[in-house]
Amino acid sequence: MTEAGDLPEKRRWCRSCRSWFLVILVLGTVFFFYNTNKEQMLFDLNPKTLWRQLKNPKQSGATHPAGVNTSTPASKGTVTALLQNENITLSMATGANQTTTNASSAQQTMSPLPTPNPLSPYIVEYPYEYHFIINEPEKCKQEKPFVVLMVPVAPHNRAHRDIIRSTWGGESLVHGKVVMLFFLLGKQSGDGAPQLQEQLLKESAEHRDLIQSDFLDCYKNLTIKTMVMLEWLDAHCSAGVSYAMKIDSDMFLNVPNLVNMLLTAPKTNYMTGLVARGAAVLRDPKSKWFIPVELFPHPQYPRYALGLGYVLSLDLPKKLVGASRHITALYIEDVYLGFCMEYLGIPPTDPPNWRYFQVNPVWYTRCAYSRLIATTTYENTNRVSVWKDFKKPGPYC
Ligand SMILES: *[C@@H]1O[C@H](CO)[C@@H](O)[C@H](O)[C@H]1NC(C)=O
Ligand SMILES: *[C@@H]1O[C@H](CO)[C@@H](O)[C@H](O)[C@H]1NC(C)=O
Ligand SMILES: *[C@@H]1O[C@H](CO)[C@@H](O)[C@H](O)[C@H]1NC(C)=O
Ligand SMILES: *[C@@H]1O[C@H](CO)[C@@H](O)[C@H](O)[C@H]1NC(C)=O
């Protein structure tokens, strides 16, 4: 695992010396093929398989960004690769080095037509000055919550928002601590967008829990949503607020267990969730999470917390936004935060109990759900009736 101390030094070291970068590239390629033969690096969305791999990393195949493999040495200093790639993807990296920028614009003027960047499908328009269309700038300052729950959701998905409001999102005082809920939205495009925006304004007036920014809301732009969320947390929730949790809208969340865990958690430089180590970079272009070698040559990602639900101390948003100025923004949001964390030299930590965060849907029983913090749910689950049952008085197990 990458240790905090050796990173910045390694970065300087690689930057100043191009030949070392080439050596690392060659080693990385050799390691990649070695790894490919050893374990076929199949892409498999089946949660069952994923679960097996998470529990039993020696078995074949890694999945998602989540294919966890603790048996191989960790991706040490992988973030250098993305820093180096500033040359390729510089139009996206405003933090790019001045000399690099000039060199490449010279290259562009030499070719008569600017060739489209083949890597652009895998990077997002960030950093960029997006604006909030719907905002709640004062709520954190007024109520100083102990934890803010941030739920990314598509603008049209009112149904998900209502379910969350009437279940775990409605828990506003837990163990004497204030918990707040916000939904994160981008902008809708296409037919019906003005009408939808109208409805969103009404919904916002009613619930005061929508945060909407003006980037285009789509799957490939999730990294933008996450980074805009961090900018928002830094601007509006960093004073007096302790933690934030980003949680997907199809999850079940046990808020009391979350608060309990955080009561004894570190107050700074803290990020936890289901932490993937040495996850394989997926090289099959058909994979949902494909990343071309040209963008990131290393075979494994740095340590990162899976996007389904992760918790962070509220000193981190500012630091992560700062780090994002130096790292090419990949479209895989949780992996991208992993790169930013590695840049900062702050590895995400495991939760105190491995059962707390579940990527594979846990079948509902009062007992099972009383022992976890967050789990994915089966698509056909009636989450409102599950919630009603869970909140009934009486013993859980
Ligand atoms: C980036 O491009 C510049 C100018 O072409 C070059 O001097 C520099 O070594 C390149 N960096 C890397 C990491 O390839
Ligand atoms: C850009 O990088 C070069 C060498 O890599 C360094 O000398 C220079 O100071 C850097 N400039 C900026 C603005 O970071
Ligand atoms: C790079 O470009 C900037 C502005 O475009 C210019 O001021 C600067 O002199 C250029 N640097 C080099 C090394 O060409
Ligand atoms: C992501 O958002 C940006 C900014 O709104 C937009 O230009 C881009 O087209 C969006 N990406 C996709 C894949 O829609």
Side-chain angles (χ1 to χ4, degrees):
M1 308 302 102
T2 305
E3 286 311 322
D6 60 15
L7 231 174
E9 192 189 41
K10 192 172 266 294
R11 203 159 48 234
R12 277 197 301 275
W13 176 74
C14 278
R15 267 205 152 177
S16 60
C17 185
R18 189 180 181 178
S19 57
W20 274 109
F21 171 66
L22 290 174
V23 170
I24 289 168
L25 186 71
V26 169
L27 285 176
T29 314
V30 168
F31 185 67
F32 170 71
F33 282 111
Y34 166 75
N35 222 38
T36 313
N37 290 339
K38 203 178 63 173
E39 358 179 325
Q40 287 180 340
M41 283 212 246
L42 289 172
F43 174 60
D44 187 355
L45 257 177
N46 183 347
K48 292 267 155 49
T49 340
L50 174 55
W51 180 230
R52 200 167 359 99
Q53 283 148 1
L54 278 169
K55 280 208 300 202
N56 211 345
K58 291 229 167 107
Q59 283 186 9
S60 74
T63 63
H64 171 170
V68 177
N69 188 341
T70 44
S71 61
T72 42
S75 45
K76 205 173 173 114
T78 49
V79 74
T80 42
L82 279 183
L83 286 167
Q84 300 287 359
N85 272 329
E86 274 171 4
N87 271 8
I88 306 170
T89 59
L90 89 168
S91 64
M92 296 294 164
T94 50
N97 184 307
Q98 197 66 42
T99 29
T100 324
T101 311
N102 283 10
S104 155
S105 47
Q107 264 170 11
Q108 272 174 11
T109 47
M110 280 195 295
S111 58
L113 283 172
T115 43
N117 185 344
L119 300 180
S120 55
Y122 311 105
I123 49 191
V124 298
E125 252 175 89
Y126 190 84
Y128 186 86
E129 210 174 307
Y130 295 107
H131 300 95
F132 292 108
I133 318 169
I134 300 178
N135 200 355
E136 294 295 338
E138 302 301 327
K139 278 187 88 173
C140 266
K141 281 174 205 141
Q142 285 162 0
E143 301 187 36
K144 297 202 171 26
F146 177 65
V147 53
V148 264
L149 305 175
M150 308 297 291
V151 186
V153 57
H156 62 81
N157 215 334
R158 169 91 196 229
H160 267 44
R161 293 193 287 275
D162 283 342
I163 290 173
I164 290 168
R165 286 180 184 120
S166 64
T167 59
W168 50 263
E171 305 258 272
S172 54
L173 194 66
V174 179
H175 301 317
K177 298 285 184 183
V178 176
V179 179
M180 284 182 91
L181 167 76
F182 294 102
F183 295 101
L184 291 156
L185 295 72
K187 206 176 51 180
Q188 185 86 4
S189 69
D191 293 346
Q195 291 87 333
L196 178 61
Q197 196 57 32
E198 198 88 345
Q199 287 162 15
L200 287 175
L201 287 171
K202 280 195 200 125
E203 185 183 340
S204 168
E206 187 184 343
H207 294 285
R208 310 297 306 271
D209 58 5
L210 302 186
I211 313 290
Q212 187 186 28
S213 177
D214 63 354
F215 65 88
L216 200 60
D217 197 306
C218 65
Y219 182 78
K220 285 267 155 133
N221 269 346
L222 275 184
T223 297
I224 300 180
K225 200 176 256 194
T226 293
M227 295 315 297
V228 161
M229 167 186 86
L230 294 174
E231 289 177 7
W232 185 84
L233 286 168
D234 178 41
H236 303 297
C237 287
S238 57
V241 181
S242 306
Y243 300 97
M245 179 175 194
K246 179 247 164 177
I247 178 161
D248 283 346
S249 62
D250 54 355
M251 302 283 293
F252 169 89
L253 179 67
N254 185 324
V255 188
N257 284 0
L258 171 69
V259 170
N260 260 340
M261 178 184 77
L262 292 177
L263 285 173
T264 55
K267 301 238 178 302
T268 59
N269 293 340
Y270 176 66
M271 183 176 195
T272 193
L274 192 55
V275 177
R277 290 174 169 76
V281 181
L282 300 170
R283 303 299 191 189
D284 178 356
K286 290 195 287 290
S287 142
K288 189 180 177 190
W289 291 291
F290 171 67
I291 289 288
V293 173
E294 296 77 22
L295 182 56
F296 180 62
H298 208 281
Q300 291 176 319
Y301 288 125
R303 206 195 281 202
Y304 71 95
L306 266 61
L308 50 92
Y310 50 77
V311 180
L312 41 109
S313 57
L314 279 168
D315 59 314
L316 278 184
K318 185 187 281 307
K319 297 174 188 172
L320 287 167
V321 169
S324 75
R325 271 44 183 170
H326 304 275
I327 319 252
T328 307
L330 301 184
Y331 72 104
I332 311 174
E333 65 97 20
D334 47 8
V335 164
Y336 182 60
L337 282 193
F339 280 113
C340 294
M341 292 292 278
E342 185 178 46
Y343 180 88
L344 296 172
I346 308 169
T349 48
D350 287 320
N353 186 322
W354 66 269
R355 284 195 195 86
Y356 280 173
F357 295 85
Q358 301 279 351
V359 64
N360 205 32
V362 173
W363 194 260
Y364 173 71
T365 65
R366 277 170 64 85
C367 190
Y369 275 35
S370 73
R371 289 175 171 170
L372 52 75
I373 288 180
T375 178
T376 52
T377 54
Y378 290 103
E379 214 172 304
N380 55 0
T381 309
N382 183 333
R383 289 184 283 151
V384 175
S385 53
V386 160
W387 183 258
K388 280 189 183 139
D389 185 73
F390 187 68
K391 295 312 274 186
K392 273 194 276 192
Y396 283 112
C397 295

